Amino acid sequence: VERLKPVPALAVMVDIRPHDQWTPERIAKAQAAARLLESAVNSDEFARQVSQRRDLQLTGGLNGAELVRVIRAGLPLDAVRQGVVSAAPRITLALAISPETGEFSRYEGFTDLGTGIIYARRTWFDRESVCKLAGLYAHEHMHVIGFTHASYPHPLRGRSVPYAVGD
């Protein structure tokens, strides 16, 4: 991690996945959430808060300052472990709206780890603020780059990287 190249700023891009439920208003909201996420991750306050956390679980052995560097590098955790130390400081959120029924219908959002597509439940997406949506994208992107948490309610779940960054 110490060999990661410093980057001026992380850019967050949006890849809207074809879906008949994407309206111009929903696309604008998704893009606004991505801009907010980009602003937050690049902020000094984000770096300070994550760096000072001593209670985080499932960090892959990284301390808070190293977590900030990994997140801002725009690289998956596995790539960093394999020695990749520079890339375009950019993440692309592959976004879709999930159906209201089915296996994941009880979640606000989820990630298909096979494709990296982040889903938000349609009714949740429509009613929540851009800020909450940015938090969901941050949380789910932490899964995309390799961080995890318990899949069931657990006292330490809120101390996982996805929850800490998403909150």
Side-chain angles (χ1 to χ4, degrees), residues 90-158:
R90 180 175 81 188
I91 61 173
T92 300
L93 300 174
L95 306 176
I97 295 176
S98 71
E100 294 299 304
T101 60
E103 180 181 359
F104 297 103
S105 63
R106 64 188 175 125
Y107 300 106
E108 297 166 351
F110 65 93
T111 300
D112 178 335
L113 292 177
T115 64
I117 297 174
I118 296 170
Y119 291 85
R121 196 175 74 237
R122 186 189 56 202
T123 54
W124 184 89
F125 181 99
D126 288 345
R127 81 168 175 263
E128 289 298 339
S129 68
V130 168
C131 185
K132 290 261 190 180
L133 187 57
L136 172 78
Y137 290 164
H139 175 105
E140 296 302 331
H141 182 68
M142 293 304 100
H143 291 309
V144 170
I145 66 172
F147 294 101
T148 188
H149 57 71
S151 61
Y152 55 89
H154 188 278
L156 297 179
R157 189 172 173 169

Side-chain angles (χ1 to χ4, degrees), residues 1 6 12 22 24-25 34 54 57 64 68 102 109 119 126 131 133 147 161:
V1 172
V12 177
W22 282 107
E25 295 80 15
R54 303 286 180 255
Q57 306 290 312
V68 171
Y119 291 85
D126 288 345
C131 185
L133 187 57
F147 294 101
V161 174

